[in-house]
Structure formats: C-alpha cells, structure tokens
Amino acid sequence: MGNAIAANLAQIQAQAANLHTILPQAAYDGPEPASAQGGFAQRMRDAVDSVNAQDHAAGQQMAAVDSGQSDDLVGAMLSSQQASLSFSMLMQVRNKVVTAVEDLVKLPI
C-alpha cells in the first residue's frame, strides 16, 4: 500500500509541474511590446486552441481509462475538470468581449 501512495504522490507532483508549464505566468511585468503581442484576435485564437488541446487530452485520458489501458481515474477526472473550467473561463471572456462591443456600438456618435 505504501508503494501505491508513493506512486500516486509522484504522479501528482509530475502533474503539478506540468501545470506550471501550461498555465501562464502569475507575475505581470507590464505590457509587452506591440510587436510581441500578436493582436487580440491572435490571442483569442491561441486561447481557443489551448482549451481545445486540453479537452482533447482529457478525452484521450478518459478513453484510456474506459478501455482499461490506464487506471488513472483521478488524473483523468482532474484533466476533465481542468478542461471544463478552461472552457467556462473562455466563454466568460467571450461574453465580456461581446458585451463591450455591443456597448461600443450603442454609443452615440
């Protein structure tokens, strides 16, 4: 039983290290130069691609658990929840942008 706990702890630590590479840096050093920004549309495309990749990876992990190739149900569920939260956050950003554009359109000239 001790070996299983140690293996689970090692796996959790590896996944935590992986999260640090996936998630953006918490520190903010100020605005990036205009040439490095790539524009709002490119950033939204990158965010959608990132959320799509997370969903795809979670789907693969769940399929591996379902088919018996993996016994990491906890990891698969965590990946699924992370993908779900990322999608929810992306939808909230989308809704805020749509609301802001609608407010701009309603401004009198």
Side-chain angles (χ1 to χ4, degrees):
M1 182 152 168
N3 290 338
I5 292 173
N8 284 339
L9 179 61
Q11 187 176 23
I12 289 171
Q13 289 172 339
Q15 289 175 349
N18 188 28
L19 283 177
H20 288 290
T21 61
I22 294 172
L23 297 175
Q25 293 178 344
Y28 178 70
D29 297 328
E32 295 177 357
S35 61
Q37 288 180 351
F40 179 76
Q42 182 61 42
R43 290 196 179 235
M44 284 301 291
R45 251 184 248 113
D46 292 344
V48 169
D49 291 342
S50 174
V51 170
N52 188 36
Q54 287 178 355
D55 184 53
H56 184 68
Q60 286 180 334
Q61 284 184 327
M62 290 300 285
V65 170
D66 288 343
S67 67
Q69 295 175 349
S70 173
D71 61 347
D72 185 21
L73 180 61
V74 173
M77 293 302 295
L78 286 174
S79 293
S80 178
Q81 286 298 311
Q82 181 183 4
S84 176
L85 287 172
S86 295
F87 181 75
S88 295
M89 185 174 64
L90 181 66
M91 291 308 298
Q92 290 298 319
V93 169
R94 176 210 166 264
N95 292 341
K96 293 287 184 180
V97 169
V98 167
T99 301
V101 169
E102 287 174 350
D103 289 346
L104 285 174
V105 168
K106 291 177 186 177
L107 284 177
I109 295 179

